[in-house]
Amino acid sequence: QAQLVESGGGSVQAGGSLRLSCKASGYTFRTNCVGWFRQTPGEERQRVARIHTTTSVTSYDDSVKGRFTISQDSSWNTVYLEMNNLKPQDSAMYYCAAVPRWRGNCFSLLQPDFTYWGQGTQVTVSS
């Protein structure tokens, strides 16, 4: 059974960095759209970044452009989110999700289109 597991969250001070990992098991990210999302209590889940694992085309929410980088490893089973210059407003639970066998533009996908979701990893940024 396909499963996504996030790791790498933690507590950092503003200006610090973290690297989140999303590892797939029972499943491969080949020809997938993989996205990172985040959510704070009482708020809607927000998209952060996406990558198409075959074309490596990426997209980012404006709030993280220039600070966050989504990437993948060559084994097709891990996607990363490098987060630099973190701000307190980046504090949230971060989730990864995937759309399997997707050949279109990842940017156009809506959250209900994502088939597999991880359990989340918490990021806390203090000022």
Side-chain angles (χ1 to χ4, degrees), residues 11-47:
S11 298
V12 295
Q13 290 191 326
S17 299
L18 285 172
R19 186 173 83 154
L20 305 183
S21 298
C22 174
K23 187 175 176 73
S25 63
Y27 174 64
T28 174
F29 282 142
R30 188 186 296 268
T31 317
N32 274 235
C33 180
V34 180
W36 284 97
F37 300 82
R38 63 187 181 187
Q39 188 172 25
T40 54
E43 300 292 329
E44 291 187 356
R45 192 161 49 195
Q46 173 194 12
R47 66 182 182 184

Short mmCIF file of all heavy atoms in Angstrom, two decimals, residues 11-47:
data_model
loop_
_atom_site.label_atom_id
_atom_site.label_comp_id
_atom_site.label_asym_id
_atom_site.label_seq_id
_atom_site.Cartn_x
_atom_site.Cartn_y
_atom_site.Cartn_z
N SER A 11 11.94 23.03 15.39
CA SER A 11 11.84 24.41 15.85
C SER A 11 13.13 25.15 15.53
O SER A 11 14.22 24.67 15.85
CB SER A 11 11.59 24.45 17.36
OG SER A 11 10.36 23.84 17.68
N VAL A 12 12.99 26.31 14.90
CA VAL A 12 14.15 27.13 14.55
C VAL A 12 13.82 28.59 14.82
O VAL A 12 12.65 28.96 14.95
CB VAL A 12 14.56 26.98 13.07
CG1 VAL A 12 15.03 25.57 12.79
CG2 VAL A 12 13.42 27.37 12.15
N GLN A 13 14.86 29.39 14.88
CA GLN A 13 14.65 30.83 15.02
C GLN A 13 14.48 31.44 13.63
O GLN A 13 14.91 30.88 12.61
CB GLN A 13 15.83 31.46 15.73
CG GLN A 13 15.91 31.10 17.20
CD GLN A 13 16.92 31.93 17.96
OE1 GLN A 13 17.94 32.31 17.41
NE2 GLN A 13 16.63 32.22 19.23
N ALA A 14 13.86 32.60 13.61
CA ALA A 14 13.68 33.31 12.35
C ALA A 14 15.03 33.51 11.66
O ALA A 14 16.03 33.82 12.31
CB ALA A 14 13.02 34.67 12.61
N GLY A 15 15.03 33.30 10.35
CA GLY A 15 16.26 33.38 9.58
C GLY A 15 16.95 32.04 9.42
O GLY A 15 17.89 31.93 8.61
N GLY A 16 16.50 31.05 10.15
CA GLY A 16 17.10 29.73 10.07
C GLY A 16 16.59 28.92 8.90
O GLY A 16 15.80 29.40 8.08
N SER A 17 17.07 27.68 8.83
CA SER A 17 16.74 26.79 7.71
C SER A 17 16.34 25.42 8.20
O SER A 17 16.77 24.98 9.27
CB SER A 17 17.95 26.65 6.78
OG SER A 17 18.35 27.88 6.24
N LEU A 18 15.52 24.77 7.41
CA LEU A 18 15.15 23.38 7.63
C LEU A 18 15.02 22.71 6.27
O LEU A 18 14.70 23.37 5.27
CB LEU A 18 13.83 23.25 8.38
CG LEU A 18 13.81 23.54 9.87
CD1 LEU A 18 12.35 23.55 10.37
CD2 LEU A 18 14.60 22.53 10.65
N ARG A 19 15.25 21.40 6.25
CA ARG A 19 14.98 20.63 5.04
C ARG A 19 14.00 19.51 5.39
O ARG A 19 14.31 18.64 6.20
CB ARG A 19 16.24 20.04 4.43
CG ARG A 19 15.96 19.39 3.09
CD ARG A 19 17.20 18.93 2.38
NE ARG A 19 17.65 17.62 2.83
CZ ARG A 19 18.37 16.79 2.09
NH1 ARG A 19 18.73 17.14 0.86
NH2 ARG A 19 18.75 15.63 2.57
N LEU A 20 12.86 19.56 4.75
CA LEU A 20 11.84 18.53 4.93
C LEU A 20 12.03 17.45 3.87
O LEU A 20 12.41 17.74 2.73
CB LEU A 20 10.44 19.12 4.82
CG LEU A 20 10.12 20.30 5.74
CD1 LEU A 20 8.65 20.70 5.55
CD2 LEU A 20 10.43 20.00 7.17
N SER A 21 11.72 16.22 4.24
CA SER A 21 11.77 15.10 3.32
C SER A 21 10.40 14.43 3.26
O SER A 21 9.70 14.35 4.26
CB SER A 21 12.81 14.07 3.77
OG SER A 21 14.10 14.61 3.80
N CYS A 22 10.07 13.96 2.08
CA CYS A 22 8.84 13.20 1.86
C CYS A 22 9.26 11.90 1.19
O CYS A 22 9.67 11.91 0.03
CB CYS A 22 7.88 13.99 0.99
SG CYS A 22 6.40 13.07 0.51
N LYS A 23 9.16 10.82 1.93
CA LYS A 23 9.61 9.53 1.41
C LYS A 23 8.41 8.66 1.09
O LYS A 23 7.50 8.52 1.90
CB LYS A 23 10.50 8.84 2.43
CG LYS A 23 11.15 7.56 1.91
CD LYS A 23 12.11 7.01 2.94
CE LYS A 23 12.69 5.70 2.49
NZ LYS A 23 13.66 5.88 1.43
N ALA A 24 8.44 8.07 -0.09
CA ALA A 24 7.37 7.18 -0.53
C ALA A 24 7.76 5.74 -0.25
O ALA A 24 8.90 5.34 -0.44
CB ALA A 24 7.10 7.37 -2.01
N SER A 25 6.80 4.98 0.21
CA SER A 25 7.01 3.54 0.35
C SER A 25 5.86 2.80 -0.30
O SER A 25 4.72 3.29 -0.29
CB SER A 25 7.14 3.14 1.82
OG SER A 25 5.95 3.42 2.53
N GLY A 26 6.16 1.63 -0.85
CA GLY A 26 5.13 0.88 -1.56
C GLY A 26 4.67 1.60 -2.81
O GLY A 26 3.57 1.35 -3.31
N TYR A 27 5.54 2.47 -3.31
CA TYR A 27 5.08 3.43 -4.32
C TYR A 27 6.32 4.13 -4.88
O TYR A 27 7.34 4.22 -4.20
CB TYR A 27 4.16 4.43 -3.61
CG TYR A 27 3.67 5.60 -4.40
CD1 TYR A 27 2.83 5.42 -5.50
CD2 TYR A 27 4.01 6.90 -4.03
CE1 TYR A 27 2.36 6.50 -6.20
CE2 TYR A 27 3.54 7.98 -4.73
CZ TYR A 27 2.71 7.78 -5.81
OH TYR A 27 2.25 8.85 -6.50
N THR A 28 6.22 4.65 -6.10
CA THR A 28 7.31 5.43 -6.64
C THR A 28 6.80 6.77 -7.13
O THR A 28 5.67 6.87 -7.61
CB THR A 28 8.01 4.68 -7.80
OG1 THR A 28 8.99 5.54 -8.40
CG2 THR A 28 7.02 4.26 -8.86
N PHE A 29 7.63 7.79 -7.03
CA PHE A 29 7.25 9.12 -7.48
C PHE A 29 7.46 9.32 -8.98
O PHE A 29 7.29 10.43 -9.47
CB PHE A 29 8.06 10.18 -6.73
CG PHE A 29 7.57 10.46 -5.33
CD1 PHE A 29 8.48 10.70 -4.32
CD2 PHE A 29 6.22 10.49 -5.03
CE1 PHE A 29 8.06 10.97 -3.02
CE2 PHE A 29 5.78 10.76 -3.74
CZ PHE A 29 6.71 11.00 -2.73
N ARG A 30 7.85 8.27 -9.70
CA ARG A 30 8.07 8.43 -11.13
C ARG A 30 6.80 8.91 -11.81
O ARG A 30 5.74 8.35 -11.59
CB ARG A 30 8.51 7.10 -11.74
CG ARG A 30 8.96 7.19 -13.18
CD ARG A 30 9.25 5.80 -13.74
NE ARG A 30 10.35 5.16 -13.05
CZ ARG A 30 11.61 5.25 -13.45
NH1 ARG A 30 11.92 5.98 -14.51
NH2 ARG A 30 12.56 4.62 -12.79
N THR A 31 6.92 9.93 -12.63
CA THR A 31 5.79 10.53 -13.36
C THR A 31 4.66 10.94 -12.43
O THR A 31 3.50 10.57 -12.59
CB THR A 31 5.26 9.58 -14.47
OG1 THR A 31 6.33 8.99 -15.17
CG2 THR A 31 4.40 10.36 -15.46
N ASN A 32 5.03 11.67 -11.40
CA ASN A 32 4.07 12.16 -10.42
C ASN A 32 4.13 13.67 -10.35
O ASN A 32 5.16 14.27 -10.64
CB ASN A 32 4.42 11.63 -9.03
CG ASN A 32 3.85 10.28 -8.73
OD1 ASN A 32 3.16 10.08 -7.74
ND2 ASN A 32 4.15 9.31 -9.59
N CYS A 33 3.07 14.24 -9.87
CA CYS A 33 3.13 15.59 -9.35
C CYS A 33 3.18 15.45 -7.83
O CYS A 33 2.30 14.82 -7.24
CB CYS A 33 1.91 16.40 -9.78
SG CYS A 33 1.95 18.08 -9.17
N VAL A 34 4.19 16.02 -7.21
CA VAL A 34 4.33 15.97 -5.76
C VAL A 34 4.30 17.40 -5.22
O VAL A 34 4.97 18.28 -5.75
CB VAL A 34 5.64 15.28 -5.34
CG1 VAL A 34 5.75 15.24 -3.81
CG2 VAL A 34 5.70 13.88 -5.92
N GLY A 35 3.52 17.59 -4.21
CA GLY A 35 3.39 18.93 -3.65
C GLY A 35 3.61 18.96 -2.16
O GLY A 35 3.43 17.96 -1.47
N TRP A 36 4.02 20.12 -1.69
CA TRP A 36 4.08 20.41 -0.27
C TRP A 36 2.99 21.41 0.06
O TRP A 36 2.80 22.40 -0.67
CB TRP A 36 5.44 20.98 0.13
CG TRP A 36 6.53 19.96 0.21
CD1 TRP A 36 7.45 19.65 -0.75
CD2 TRP A 36 6.82 19.12 1.33
NE1 TRP A 36 8.29 18.66 -0.30
CE2 TRP A 36 7.93 18.32 0.97
CE3 TRP A 36 6.26 18.96 2.60
CZ2 TRP A 36 8.48 17.38 1.84
CZ3 TRP A 36 6.82 18.03 3.46
CH2 TRP A 36 7.92 17.25 3.08
N PHE A 37 2.31 21.16 1.16
CA PHE A 37 1.25 22.03 1.65
C PHE A 37 1.51 22.32 3.11
O PHE A 37 2.25 21.62 3.77
CB PHE A 37 -0.11 21.33 1.51
CG PHE A 37 -0.46 20.95 0.10
CD1 PHE A 37 0.04 19.79 -0.48
CD2 PHE A 37 -1.31 21.76 -0.65
CE1 PHE A 37 -0.28 19.45 -1.79
CE2 PHE A 37 -1.64 21.42 -1.96
CZ PHE A 37 -1.11 20.27 -2.51
N ARG A 38 0.85 23.35 3.63
CA ARG A 38 0.98 23.63 5.06
C ARG A 38 -0.34 24.13 5.61
O ARG A 38 -1.17 24.69 4.88
CB ARG A 38 2.08 24.66 5.33
CG ARG A 38 1.85 26.04 4.75
CD ARG A 38 3.09 26.91 4.93
NE ARG A 38 2.92 28.25 4.41
CZ ARG A 38 3.90 29.15 4.33
NH1 ARG A 38 5.13 28.83 4.73
NH2 ARG A 38 3.66 30.35 3.86
N GLN A 39 -0.51 23.92 6.91
CA GLN A 39 -1.77 24.29 7.54
C GLN A 39 -1.51 24.67 8.99
O GLN A 39 -0.77 23.99 9.70
CB GLN A 39 -2.76 23.12 7.48
CG GLN A 39 -4.16 23.47 7.94
CD GLN A 39 -5.14 22.35 7.69
OE1 GLN A 39 -4.76 21.18 7.61
NE2 GLN A 39 -6.41 22.70 7.55
N THR A 40 -2.14 25.75 9.41
CA THR A 40 -2.13 26.16 10.81
C THR A 40 -3.53 25.95 11.37
O THR A 40 -4.51 25.94 10.61
CB THR A 40 -1.70 27.62 10.96
OG1 THR A 40 -2.54 28.45 10.14
CG2 THR A 40 -0.25 27.81 10.54
N PRO A 41 -3.66 25.79 12.66
CA PRO A 41 -4.98 25.53 13.26
C PRO A 41 -5.99 26.61 12.90
O PRO A 41 -5.70 27.81 12.98
CB PRO A 41 -4.69 25.53 14.76
CG PRO A 41 -3.27 25.10 14.85
CD PRO A 41 -2.59 25.72 13.67
N GLY A 42 -7.15 26.17 12.45
CA GLY A 42 -8.21 27.10 12.12
C GLY A 42 -8.12 27.70 10.74
O GLY A 42 -8.99 28.48 10.35
N GLU A 43 -7.07 27.35 10.01
CA GLU A 43 -6.89 27.91 8.67
C GLU A 43 -7.01 26.81 7.63
O GLU A 43 -6.84 25.62 7.92
CB GLU A 43 -5.51 28.58 8.56
CG GLU A 43 -5.29 29.73 9.53
CD GLU A 43 -6.15 30.93 9.23
OE1 GLU A 43 -6.45 31.16 8.03
OE2 GLU A 43 -6.54 31.64 10.17
N GLU A 44 -7.27 27.23 6.39
CA GLU A 44 -7.30 26.25 5.31
C GLU A 44 -5.88 25.82 4.96
O GLU A 44 -4.92 26.58 5.14
CB GLU A 44 -7.97 26.86 4.08
CG GLU A 44 -9.45 27.10 4.25
CD GLU A 44 -10.10 27.55 2.95
OE1 GLU A 44 -9.38 27.74 1.95
OE2 GLU A 44 -11.32 27.71 2.95
N ARG A 45 -5.77 24.61 4.46
CA ARG A 45 -4.48 24.13 4.02
C ARG A 45 -4.04 24.91 2.78
O ARG A 45 -4.84 25.13 1.86
CB ARG A 45 -4.56 22.64 3.71
CG ARG A 45 -3.24 21.96 3.51
CD ARG A 45 -3.38 20.46 3.69
NE ARG A 45 -4.49 19.93 2.92
CZ ARG A 45 -5.01 18.72 3.12
NH1 ARG A 45 -4.53 17.95 4.06
NH2 ARG A 45 -5.99 18.30 2.36
N GLN A 46 -2.81 25.33 2.77
CA GLN A 46 -2.28 26.20 1.74
C GLN A 46 -1.22 25.46 0.93
O GLN A 46 -0.40 24.74 1.50
CB GLN A 46 -1.65 27.44 2.41
CG GLN A 46 -0.91 28.37 1.50
CD GLN A 46 -0.03 29.36 2.27
OE1 GLN A 46 0.19 29.22 3.46
NE2 GLN A 46 0.46 30.37 1.58
N ARG A 47 -1.20 25.65 -0.37
CA ARG A 47 -0.15 25.02 -1.16
C ARG A 47 1.13 25.84 -1.04
O ARG A 47 1.09 27.06 -0.96
CB ARG A 47 -0.57 24.86 -2.61
CG ARG A 47 -0.78 26.14 -3.38
CD ARG A 47 -1.23 25.82 -4.79
NE ARG A 47 -1.40 27.00 -5.60
CZ ARG A 47 -1.86 26.99 -6.85
NH1 ARG A 47 -2.21 25.84 -7.42
NH2 ARG A 47 -1.97 28.11 -7.52
#
